[in-house]
Amino acid sequence: MRTWQVERRKRTRRLIELGGLVVQAGIVELTGDDRAMIFGALLWMADKLQSDQGEHARSLWAAKGKQAFGDD
C-alpha cells in the first residue's frame, strides 16, 4: 500500500472516531441533526479555548470527558 493511502486511511479513521464522539454525546439528537448548529457550537468551543478562560475550560471539559468514558 502506498504512503498516501496509509495516511488517507488514518485520516478517515480519525474523522470517523471524532464523528462518533458527536453522536455518543447525544449532540445529533439534541440539535435535530442541524449541522450548522453543531458547527457553530464547535466554533464556540474553539473561541473559548483560545480565550483567557481556555485553560479552565480545557481542564473542566477533560475531566467531564474522562468521567463519561469511565461510566461507559
Side-chain angles (χ1 to χ4, degrees):
M1 193 174 302
R2 295 188 171 145
T3 303
W4 68 268
Q5 290 173 313
V6 171
E7 292 304 314
R8 183 175 178 193
R9 285 187 180 191
K10 284 181 188 177
R11 180 181 181 275
T12 300
R13 180 181 175 95
R14 182 172 181 242
L15 292 173
I16 291 169
E17 289 172 347
L18 291 170
L21 291 174
V22 173
V23 172
Q24 189 175 358
I27 302 300
V28 175
E29 290 80 16
L30 291 170
T31 62
D33 200 9
D34 184 337
R35 292 163 192 213
M37 186 187 308
I38 295 169
F39 188 51
L42 292 170
L43 291 173
W44 174 80
M45 285 176 57
D47 286 344
K48 188 74 159 178
L49 290 170
Q50 293 173 358
S51 74
D52 60 341
Q53 301 171 358
E55 286 305 315
H56 176 69
R58 191 173 273 106
S59 64
L60 181 72
W61 296 341
K64 188 165 185 71
K66 287 175 186 173
Q67 181 184 12
F69 278 136
D71 291 348
D72 288 351

